[in-house]
Every structure is written in structure tokens, then in C-alpha cells.
Amino acid sequence: MTRFFTFFATACISLAAVGTTAEAQTWPTRPVRMVVPTAPGGPVDTAARIIGEALTKRLGATFIVENRAGAGGNIGADYVAKAAPDGTNLLFATTALAIAPGYYKSLPYDVEKDLVPISLVSRGATVLVVPVNSPLVTVDDLLRAAKEAPGKLTFGSSGNGTTNHLAGELLMAKTGIRLLHIPYTGASFALNNLLGGQIDMMFASAIDLAPRIKAGQVRALAITNGERSDALPGVPTIGETVPGYECSIWYGLFAPKGTSPDILRKISTELAQLRGSSELKVRFEELGARLVLSPPEVLASTVQTEVSSWRQLIRSAGIGSSK
């Protein structure tokens, strides 16, 4: 009898393993939903559609981008965290996912426990710009002016708790200067006020500002990334003036906890096959981003490191949300 139960248990485990492997081999048999936690038409939405199109061509199944914007990206992230872990629900998230645990008082999901990293898709550039008639030409100019008049210089962003906001907070933390943050409900509103001279500077993604920079409508002082961007040749990094400064926008692909490891592995493998695509590289460069398509552990490490570092900055600056 004991032998029978031992054999039966072993057989069940073997059948389960075969079933899981078979599931991964046939996946996807249904359309796959890629949830984007931002509004349609922006750089995140565009990047997700590029990846979705590429996977559709490779796998012969449909990858549908579904926008679920709101609450700083938490609505979309929570939806996927609670979705069926059957390989048909994915989250195309941004740096905001790592900011959320430190910025918001409570979240309906756990970033590190309820979502499984699949791939760091890309890293994008954030740029610091001033009006073309500004006396600030370099980051050194900015630092000197801010030290001479603490709290007088203003910087705009696309909203409280966004990467663009925290880029300014990080600059203050690294240098000891004081700037006045002016939050807007979108980068376009901040840009309008920058062009009108109502604010002194702003942080925003390269895709939002590159056309204005190239047209000579605003002046780029620096980018916030750790390395210079091909999208803005000749523009230095803030880190070249302020050692240790780095703030980049990344895009990453996640699945709900409980998704089959074999399915996750298959998605990661398919994305790795796209890493050398010159077409994808060019399309991401047009978004001011560098195509990465990393293994899962790179994204996992990125999230873990940034959740900790953003939480520390938010607490020290006292800028977290009360909600």
C-alpha cells in the first residue's frame, strides 16, 4: 500500500510537470493582454505597442495593449497583480512602479510579492531644460544660482510623485540646494509655462522635449541618466557635475504571481530573441530610450534597489502622499 501511494504521488507530480511544460509549449492559445498603466498615446503606450507587435509577429498570437491609467500607475498595476496567472495578463510598467511603495501611504498590492519580473525592456532619458533666454547655461550655473537664492528657482514636473518630480528632489538631496517644485497635471502644461517664463526649469522625458530642443525653443542643460543619450547628442549628464546622481526612466514587463515558470521563461526567451533587432532599436531610440530586453533577474534587481532608494529619498524629503 505504501509503495502504491508513493508511486501515485510520483506519478501525479510527473503529470503536473508534463502539463506545465505542455502549457508553456502551446502558449499563447488566447490573446494576451498587456496592461499599460498610463493614458493612450504617450511614450509608455507607444513602447508597449512596439513590443506587442513584435511578439505578435514572433508567436502568431495577438498581444493587445489595454490602457488602465490613474493613481500614479497603481490602477493598472493592481489590476494585473490580481489577474488570473495564466499567461494572458501582463503589466508593461515604468519607474513609477518602484516609486509607489515609498510615495503612497498604502497600496492594494505588493510590488515585490504580487508581480513577477520578466524583462527590463528599456531605459529612457529624462532631460532638464530651461527657457532659451535663461542665464542658466550649465548645471554649474544652476547650482550657483540656487545657492545664492535658496528656494527662489522653480522647477516644473508632470505631477507630484512622478519620476520628473523626484529627479528634482534627488538633485536637491545630492547638492544641498533648494528649489521650488511646481507640479502640473502633465508635461505639456509645465512646458507651456516654461515657454511663457512662469517657471525657471523643468524635468521631462526626452521624447516630450527633444523636438523643442532641436527646434531651439528650449535649452537642454543635462540629462538625468547615468550615461549620455544618443537621442540628445552633446547634452551632458547631471552626474558629470554632481557625482553619484542618476535618475532614469525604465520600462519593464511583469506577470501576476503564480504564473507558470515555464510560460515566464518562454516570454523571456522570446524577448531575448528580439534584442538584436535593429528595427526595434531604432524605434526605441526615436522614443529617447535604449532597448535592453534583459533577463528577469536584471529587472528584479532594478525594482528591489529602486524601491529602497526611492523610499529613502521620499522620506528624507517629506514628500509622500497622505493617501
PDB file of all heavy atoms in Angstrom, residues 172-203:
ATOM      1  N   MET A 172      18.332  68.092  -5.383  1.00  0.00           N
ATOM      2  CA  MET A 172      18.434  68.848  -4.139  1.00  0.00           C
ATOM      3  C   MET A 172      19.120  68.033  -3.045  1.00  0.00           C
ATOM      4  O   MET A 172      19.963  68.540  -2.298  1.00  0.00           O
ATOM      5  CB  MET A 172      17.035  69.291  -3.686  1.00  0.00           C
ATOM      6  CG  MET A 172      16.417  70.383  -4.542  1.00  0.00           C
ATOM      7  SD  MET A 172      14.901  71.086  -3.816  1.00  0.00           S
ATOM      8  CE  MET A 172      13.690  69.888  -4.371  1.00  0.00           C
ATOM      9  N   ALA A 173      18.777  66.759  -2.965  1.00  0.00           N
ATOM     10  CA  ALA A 173      19.356  65.891  -1.937  1.00  0.00           C
ATOM     11  C   ALA A 173      20.858  65.700  -2.142  1.00  0.00           C
ATOM     12  O   ALA A 173      21.625  65.644  -1.173  1.00  0.00           O
ATOM     13  CB  ALA A 173      18.655  64.540  -1.943  1.00  0.00           C
ATOM     14  N   LYS A 174      21.276  65.622  -3.409  1.00  0.00           N
ATOM     15  CA  LYS A 174      22.693  65.380  -3.712  1.00  0.00           C
ATOM     16  C   LYS A 174      23.549  66.634  -3.564  1.00  0.00           C
ATOM     17  O   LYS A 174      24.767  66.534  -3.355  1.00  0.00           O
ATOM     18  CB  LYS A 174      22.829  64.851  -5.148  1.00  0.00           C
ATOM     19  CG  LYS A 174      22.322  63.437  -5.362  1.00  0.00           C
ATOM     20  CD  LYS A 174      23.271  62.407  -4.778  1.00  0.00           C
ATOM     21  CE  LYS A 174      22.845  60.997  -5.116  1.00  0.00           C
ATOM     22  NZ  LYS A 174      23.745  59.986  -4.489  1.00  0.00           N
ATOM     23  N   THR A 175      22.945  67.817  -3.684  1.00  0.00           N
ATOM     24  CA  THR A 175      23.736  69.054  -3.715  1.00  0.00           C
ATOM     25  C   THR A 175      23.471  69.994  -2.543  1.00  0.00           C
ATOM     26  O   THR A 175      24.245  70.913  -2.300  1.00  0.00           O
ATOM     27  CB  THR A 175      23.464  69.830  -5.014  1.00  0.00           C
ATOM     28  OG1 THR A 175      22.064  70.181  -5.065  1.00  0.00           O
ATOM     29  CG2 THR A 175      23.822  68.991  -6.234  1.00  0.00           C
ATOM     30  N   GLY A 176      22.354  69.794  -1.851  1.00  0.00           N
ATOM     31  CA  GLY A 176      22.010  70.672  -0.745  1.00  0.00           C
ATOM     32  C   GLY A 176      21.338  71.968  -1.173  1.00  0.00           C
ATOM     33  O   GLY A 176      21.064  72.832  -0.336  1.00  0.00           O
ATOM     34  N   ILE A 177      21.027  72.124  -2.457  1.00  0.00           N
ATOM     35  CA  ILE A 177      20.340  73.333  -2.919  1.00  0.00           C
ATOM     36  C   ILE A 177      18.848  73.218  -2.619  1.00  0.00           C
ATOM     37  O   ILE A 177      18.343  72.134  -2.326  1.00  0.00           O
ATOM     38  CB  ILE A 177      20.551  73.577  -4.430  1.00  0.00           C
ATOM     39  CG1 ILE A 177      19.909  72.442  -5.246  1.00  0.00           C
ATOM     40  CG2 ILE A 177      22.024  73.739  -4.751  1.00  0.00           C
ATOM     41  CD1 ILE A 177      19.887  72.702  -6.746  1.00  0.00           C
ATOM     42  N   ARG A 178      18.140  74.340  -2.706  1.00  0.00           N
ATOM     43  CA  ARG A 178      16.694  74.346  -2.518  1.00  0.00           C
ATOM     44  C   ARG A 178      16.029  74.935  -3.754  1.00  0.00           C
ATOM     45  O   ARG A 178      16.333  76.057  -4.161  1.00  0.00           O
ATOM     46  CB  ARG A 178      16.324  75.172  -1.285  1.00  0.00           C
ATOM     47  CG  ARG A 178      16.550  74.445   0.045  1.00  0.00           C
ATOM     48  CD  ARG A 178      16.315  75.366   1.210  1.00  0.00           C
ATOM     49  NE  ARG A 178      15.033  76.094   1.076  1.00  0.00           N
ATOM     50  CZ  ARG A 178      14.788  77.270   1.656  1.00  0.00           C
ATOM     51  NH1 ARG A 178      15.726  77.864   2.365  1.00  0.00           N
ATOM     52  NH2 ARG A 178      13.614  77.837   1.498  1.00  0.00           N
ATOM     53  N   LEU A 179      15.149  74.137  -4.357  1.00  0.00           N
ATOM     54  CA  LEU A 179      14.357  74.582  -5.492  1.00  0.00           C
ATOM     55  C   LEU A 179      12.890  74.488  -5.095  1.00  0.00           C
ATOM     56  O   LEU A 179      12.523  73.730  -4.203  1.00  0.00           O
ATOM     57  CB  LEU A 179      14.611  73.697  -6.717  1.00  0.00           C
ATOM     58  CG  LEU A 179      16.050  73.560  -7.217  1.00  0.00           C
ATOM     59  CD1 LEU A 179      16.136  72.496  -8.303  1.00  0.00           C
ATOM     60  CD2 LEU A 179      16.569  74.902  -7.738  1.00  0.00           C
ATOM     61  N   LEU A 180      12.034  75.245  -5.764  1.00  0.00           N
ATOM     62  CA  LEU A 180      10.596  75.197  -5.500  1.00  0.00           C
ATOM     63  C   LEU A 180       9.921  74.359  -6.578  1.00  0.00           C
ATOM     64  O   LEU A 180       9.971  74.705  -7.765  1.00  0.00           O
ATOM     65  CB  LEU A 180      10.010  76.615  -5.483  1.00  0.00           C
ATOM     66  CG  LEU A 180       8.488  76.720  -5.263  1.00  0.00           C
ATOM     67  CD1 LEU A 180       8.106  76.135  -3.901  1.00  0.00           C
ATOM     68  CD2 LEU A 180       8.039  78.177  -5.378  1.00  0.00           C
ATOM     69  N   HIS A 181       9.302  73.258  -6.169  1.00  0.00           N
ATOM     70  CA  HIS A 181       8.644  72.368  -7.122  1.00  0.00           C
ATOM     71  C   HIS A 181       7.250  72.879  -7.463  1.00  0.00           C
ATOM     72  O   HIS A 181       6.454  73.193  -6.575  1.00  0.00           O
ATOM     73  CB  HIS A 181       8.540  70.958  -6.538  1.00  0.00           C
ATOM     74  CG  HIS A 181       7.778  70.017  -7.412  1.00  0.00           C
ATOM     75  ND1 HIS A 181       6.759  69.200  -6.947  1.00  0.00           N
ATOM     76  CD2 HIS A 181       7.875  69.761  -8.747  1.00  0.00           C
ATOM     77  CE1 HIS A 181       6.278  68.481  -7.942  1.00  0.00           C
ATOM     78  NE2 HIS A 181       6.932  68.796  -9.049  1.00  0.00           N
ATOM     79  N   ILE A 182       6.949  72.949  -8.765  1.00  0.00           N
ATOM     80  CA  ILE A 182       5.623  73.331  -9.251  1.00  0.00           C
ATOM     81  C   ILE A 182       5.051  72.139 -10.017  1.00  0.00           C
ATOM     82  O   ILE A 182       5.466  71.849 -11.140  1.00  0.00           O
ATOM     83  CB  ILE A 182       5.671  74.559 -10.189  1.00  0.00           C
ATOM     84  CG1 ILE A 182       6.459  75.704  -9.554  1.00  0.00           C
ATOM     85  CG2 ILE A 182       4.253  74.990 -10.558  1.00  0.00           C
ATOM     86  CD1 ILE A 182       5.840  76.277  -8.292  1.00  0.00           C
ATOM     87  N   PRO A 183       4.108  71.397  -9.414  1.00  0.00           N
ATOM     88  CA  PRO A 183       3.543  70.225 -10.099  1.00  0.00           C
ATOM     89  C   PRO A 183       2.435  70.613 -11.069  1.00  0.00           C
ATOM     90  O   PRO A 183       1.636  71.509 -10.793  1.00  0.00           O
ATOM     91  CB  PRO A 183       2.987  69.388  -8.946  1.00  0.00           C
ATOM     92  CG  PRO A 183       2.626  70.398  -7.901  1.00  0.00           C
ATOM     93  CD  PRO A 183       3.612  71.535  -8.031  1.00  0.00           C
ATOM     94  N   TYR A 184       2.396  69.928 -12.198  1.00  0.00           N
ATOM     95  CA  TYR A 184       1.336  70.127 -13.191  1.00  0.00           C
ATOM     96  C   TYR A 184       0.631  68.786 -13.409  1.00  0.00           C
ATOM     97  O   TYR A 184       1.080  67.745 -12.917  1.00  0.00           O
ATOM     98  CB  TYR A 184       1.921  70.641 -14.508  1.00  0.00           C
ATOM     99  CG  TYR A 184       2.488  72.041 -14.414  1.00  0.00           C
ATOM    100  CD1 TYR A 184       3.796  72.245 -13.971  1.00  0.00           C
ATOM    101  CD2 TYR A 184       1.716  73.153 -14.751  1.00  0.00           C
ATOM    102  CE1 TYR A 184       4.328  73.532 -13.872  1.00  0.00           C
ATOM    103  CE2 TYR A 184       2.240  74.442 -14.650  1.00  0.00           C
ATOM    104  CZ  TYR A 184       3.532  74.623 -14.205  1.00  0.00           C
ATOM    105  OH  TYR A 184       4.055  75.896 -14.100  1.00  0.00           O
ATOM    106  N   THR A 185      -0.452  68.802 -14.157  1.00  0.00           N
ATOM    107  CA  THR A 185      -1.179  67.574 -14.435  1.00  0.00           C
ATOM    108  C   THR A 185      -0.704  66.899 -15.714  1.00  0.00           C
ATOM    109  O   THR A 185      -1.343  65.995 -16.226  1.00  0.00           O
ATOM    110  CB  THR A 185      -2.698  67.857 -14.548  1.00  0.00           C
ATOM    111  OG1 THR A 185      -2.916  68.874 -15.530  1.00  0.00           O
ATOM    112  CG2 THR A 185      -3.250  68.303 -13.209  1.00  0.00           C
ATOM    113  N   GLY A 186       0.421  67.316 -16.206  1.00  0.00           N
ATOM    114  CA  GLY A 186       1.010  66.731 -17.406  1.00  0.00           C
ATOM    115  C   GLY A 186       2.192  67.552 -17.862  1.00  0.00           C
ATOM    116  O   GLY A 186       2.291  68.748 -17.557  1.00  0.00           O
ATOM    117  N   ALA A 187       3.105  66.923 -18.599  1.00  0.00           N
ATOM    118  CA  ALA A 187       4.313  67.608 -19.050  1.00  0.00           C
ATOM    119  C   ALA A 187       4.003  68.779 -19.985  1.00  0.00           C
ATOM    120  O   ALA A 187       4.710  69.788 -19.981  1.00  0.00           O
ATOM    121  CB  ALA A 187       5.246  66.616 -19.743  1.00  0.00           C
ATOM    122  N   SER A 188       2.937  68.653 -20.774  1.00  0.00           N
ATOM    123  CA  SER A 188       2.616  69.707 -21.742  1.00  0.00           C
ATOM    124  C   SER A 188       2.252  71.018 -21.040  1.00  0.00           C
ATOM    125  O   SER A 188       2.595  72.100 -21.519  1.00  0.00           O
ATOM    126  CB  SER A 188       1.474  69.269 -22.653  1.00  0.00           C
ATOM    127  OG  SER A 188       0.298  68.994 -21.896  1.00  0.00           O
ATOM    128  N   PHE A 189       1.566  70.916 -19.895  1.00  0.00           N
ATOM    129  CA  PHE A 189       1.194  72.125 -19.147  1.00  0.00           C
ATOM    130  C   PHE A 189       2.429  72.791 -18.545  1.00  0.00           C
ATOM    131  O   PHE A 189       2.557  74.012 -18.540  1.00  0.00           O
ATOM    132  CB  PHE A 189       0.186  71.779 -18.049  1.00  0.00           C
ATOM    133  CG  PHE A 189      -1.107  71.228 -18.571  1.00  0.00           C
ATOM    134  CD1 PHE A 189      -1.389  69.877 -18.484  1.00  0.00           C
ATOM    135  CD2 PHE A 189      -2.038  72.067 -19.180  1.00  0.00           C
ATOM    136  CE1 PHE A 189      -2.579  69.362 -18.977  1.00  0.00           C
ATOM    137  CE2 PHE A 189      -3.236  71.568 -19.668  1.00  0.00           C
ATOM    138  CZ  PHE A 189      -3.502  70.211 -19.573  1.00  0.00           C
ATOM    139  N   ALA A 190       3.336  71.967 -18.040  1.00  0.00           N
ATOM    140  CA  ALA A 190       4.587  72.510 -17.496  1.00  0.00           C
ATOM    141  C   ALA A 190       5.398  73.171 -18.607  1.00  0.00           C
ATOM    142  O   ALA A 190       5.975  74.248 -18.414  1.00  0.00           O
ATOM    143  CB  ALA A 190       5.395  71.392 -16.840  1.00  0.00           C
ATOM    144  N   LEU A 191       5.424  72.536 -19.775  1.00  0.00           N
ATOM    145  CA  LEU A 191       6.184  73.087 -20.893  1.00  0.00           C
ATOM    146  C   LEU A 191       5.618  74.431 -21.334  1.00  0.00           C
ATOM    147  O   LEU A 191       6.375  75.372 -21.634  1.00  0.00           O
ATOM    148  CB  LEU A 191       6.173  72.096 -22.065  1.00  0.00           C
ATOM    149  CG  LEU A 191       6.927  72.542 -23.327  1.00  0.00           C
ATOM    150  CD1 LEU A 191       8.397  72.826 -23.022  1.00  0.00           C
ATOM    151  CD2 LEU A 191       6.799  71.479 -24.418  1.00  0.00           C
ATOM    152  N   ASN A 192       4.312  74.554 -21.368  1.00  0.00           N
ATOM    153  CA  ASN A 192       3.695  75.830 -21.748  1.00  0.00           C
ATOM    154  C   ASN A 192       4.118  76.951 -20.804  1.00  0.00           C
ATOM    155  O   ASN A 192       4.407  78.074 -21.232  1.00  0.00           O
ATOM    156  CB  ASN A 192       2.162  75.710 -21.753  1.00  0.00           C
ATOM    157  CG  ASN A 192       1.641  74.907 -22.921  1.00  0.00           C
ATOM    158  OD1 ASN A 192       2.325  74.785 -23.948  1.00  0.00           O
ATOM    159  ND2 ASN A 192       0.453  74.353 -22.788  1.00  0.00           N
ATOM    160  N   ASN A 193       4.168  76.648 -19.510  1.00  0.00           N
ATOM    161  CA  ASN A 193       4.582  77.660 -18.540  1.00  0.00           C
ATOM    162  C   ASN A 193       6.075  77.939 -18.600  1.00  0.00           C
ATOM    163  O   ASN A 193       6.514  79.052 -18.319  1.00  0.00           O
ATOM    164  CB  ASN A 193       4.185  77.235 -17.123  1.00  0.00           C
ATOM    165  CG  ASN A 193       2.754  77.634 -16.785  1.00  0.00           C
ATOM    166  OD1 ASN A 193       1.974  77.999 -17.660  1.00  0.00           O
ATOM    167  ND2 ASN A 193       2.392  77.561 -15.521  1.00  0.00           N
ATOM    168  N   LEU A 194       6.842  76.928 -18.975  1.00  0.00           N
ATOM    169  CA  LEU A 194       8.280  77.156 -19.163  1.00  0.00           C
ATOM    170  C   LEU A 194       8.506  78.098 -20.341  1.00  0.00           C
ATOM    171  O   LEU A 194       9.278  79.057 -20.250  1.00  0.00           O
ATOM    172  CB  LEU A 194       8.996  75.832 -19.416  1.00  0.00           C
ATOM    173  CG  LEU A 194      10.520  75.946 -19.572  1.00  0.00           C
ATOM    174  CD1 LEU A 194      11.183  76.057 -18.203  1.00  0.00           C
ATOM    175  CD2 LEU A 194      11.093  74.742 -20.326  1.00  0.00           C
ATOM    176  N   LEU A 195       7.817  77.835 -21.444  1.00  0.00           N
ATOM    177  CA  LEU A 195       7.942  78.697 -22.624  1.00  0.00           C
ATOM    178  C   LEU A 195       7.451  80.113 -22.336  1.00  0.00           C
ATOM    179  O   LEU A 195       7.960  81.083 -22.905  1.00  0.00           O
ATOM    180  CB  LEU A 195       7.155  78.096 -23.795  1.00  0.00           C
ATOM    181  CG  LEU A 195       7.663  76.755 -24.334  1.00  0.00           C
ATOM    182  CD1 LEU A 195       6.683  76.187 -25.355  1.00  0.00           C
ATOM    183  CD2 LEU A 195       9.044  76.915 -24.951  1.00  0.00           C
ATOM    184  N   GLY A 196       6.465  80.215 -21.433  1.00  0.00           N
ATOM    185  CA  GLY A 196       5.929  81.527 -21.080  1.00  0.00           C
ATOM    186  C   GLY A 196       6.717  82.236 -19.996  1.00  0.00           C
ATOM    187  O   GLY A 196       6.401  83.377 -19.641  1.00  0.00           O
ATOM    188  N   GLY A 197       7.725  81.557 -19.459  1.00  0.00           N
ATOM    189  CA  GLY A 197       8.572  82.184 -18.450  1.00  0.00           C
ATOM    190  C   GLY A 197       8.016  82.144 -17.038  1.00  0.00           C
ATOM    191  O   GLY A 197       8.553  82.791 -16.134  1.00  0.00           O
ATOM    192  N   GLN A 198       6.960  81.345 -16.804  1.00  0.00           N
ATOM    193  CA  GLN A 198       6.386  81.273 -15.463  1.00  0.00           C
ATOM    194  C   GLN A 198       7.199  80.383 -14.521  1.00  0.00           C
ATOM    195  O   GLN A 198       7.099  80.502 -13.308  1.00  0.00           O
ATOM    196  CB  GLN A 198       4.941  80.760 -15.513  1.00  0.00           C
ATOM    197  CG  GLN A 198       3.922  81.785 -15.965  1.00  0.00           C
ATOM    198  CD  GLN A 198       3.859  81.901 -17.482  1.00  0.00           C
ATOM    199  OE1 GLN A 198       4.086  80.923 -18.185  1.00  0.00           O
ATOM    200  NE2 GLN A 198       3.565  83.093 -17.983  1.00  0.00           N
ATOM    201  N   ILE A 199       7.982  79.459 -15.060  1.00  0.00           N
ATOM    202  CA  ILE A 199       8.874  78.626 -14.246  1.00  0.00           C
ATOM    203  C   ILE A 199      10.277  78.694 -14.836  1.00  0.00           C
ATOM    204  O   ILE A 199      10.457  79.009 -16.015  1.00  0.00           O
ATOM    205  CB  ILE A 199       8.389  77.161 -14.171  1.00  0.00           C
ATOM    206  CG1 ILE A 199       8.224  76.556 -15.575  1.00  0.00           C
ATOM    207  CG2 ILE A 199       7.101  77.062 -13.367  1.00  0.00           C
ATOM    208  CD1 ILE A 199       7.836  75.079 -15.557  1.00  0.00           C
ATOM    209  N   ASP A 200      11.267  78.376 -14.006  1.00  0.00           N
ATOM    210  CA  ASP A 200      12.666  78.524 -14.424  1.00  0.00           C
ATOM    211  C   ASP A 200      13.216  77.313 -15.152  1.00  0.00           C
ATOM    212  O   ASP A 200      14.142  77.446 -15.969  1.00  0.00           O
ATOM    213  CB  ASP A 200      13.540  78.802 -13.194  1.00  0.00           C
ATOM    214  CG  ASP A 200      13.192  80.113 -12.524  1.00  0.00           C
ATOM    215  OD1 ASP A 200      13.241  81.157 -13.209  1.00  0.00           O
ATOM    216  OD2 ASP A 200      12.855  80.097 -11.318  1.00  0.00           O
ATOM    217  N   MET A 201      12.684  76.132 -14.852  1.00  0.00           N
ATOM    218  CA  MET A 201      13.213  74.913 -15.472  1.00  0.00           C
ATOM    219  C   MET A 201      12.183  73.802 -15.307  1.00  0.00           C
ATOM    220  O   MET A 201      11.220  73.939 -14.564  1.00  0.00           O
ATOM    221  CB  MET A 201      14.533  74.496 -14.815  1.00  0.00           C
ATOM    222  CG  MET A 201      14.391  74.054 -13.374  1.00  0.00           C
ATOM    223  SD  MET A 201      15.955  73.984 -12.463  1.00  0.00           S
ATOM    224  CE  MET A 201      16.107  75.712 -11.970  1.00  0.00           C
ATOM    225  N   MET A 202      12.416  72.685 -15.991  1.00  0.00           N
ATOM    226  CA  MET A 202      11.541  71.532 -15.823  1.00  0.00           C
ATOM    227  C   MET A 202      12.285  70.264 -16.189  1.00  0.00           C
ATOM    228  O   MET A 202      13.265  70.283 -16.947  1.00  0.00           O
ATOM    229  CB  MET A 202      10.270  71.645 -16.664  1.00  0.00           C
ATOM    230  CG  MET A 202      10.483  71.514 -18.171  1.00  0.00           C
ATOM    231  SD  MET A 202       8.927  71.532 -19.124  1.00  0.00           S
ATOM    232  CE  MET A 202       8.276  69.898 -18.756  1.00  0.00           C
ATOM    233  N   PHE A 203      11.830  69.158 -15.618  1.00  0.00           N
ATOM    234  CA  PHE A 203      12.318  67.825 -15.963  1.00  0.00           C
ATOM    235  C   PHE A 203      11.213  67.118 -16.729  1.00  0.00           C
ATOM    236  O   PHE A 203      10.045  67.165 -16.334  1.00  0.00           O
ATOM    237  CB  PHE A 203      12.633  67.014 -14.705  1.00  0.00           C
ATOM    238  CG  PHE A 203      13.804  67.501 -13.905  1.00  0.00           C
ATOM    239  CD1 PHE A 203      13.638  68.480 -12.939  1.00  0.00           C
ATOM    240  CD2 PHE A 203      15.073  66.962 -14.103  1.00  0.00           C
ATOM    241  CE1 PHE A 203      14.706  68.926 -12.179  1.00  0.00           C
ATOM    242  CE2 PHE A 203      16.149  67.392 -13.341  1.00  0.00           C
ATOM    243  CZ  PHE A 203      15.976  68.378 -12.382  1.00  0.00           C
TER     244      PHE A 203
END
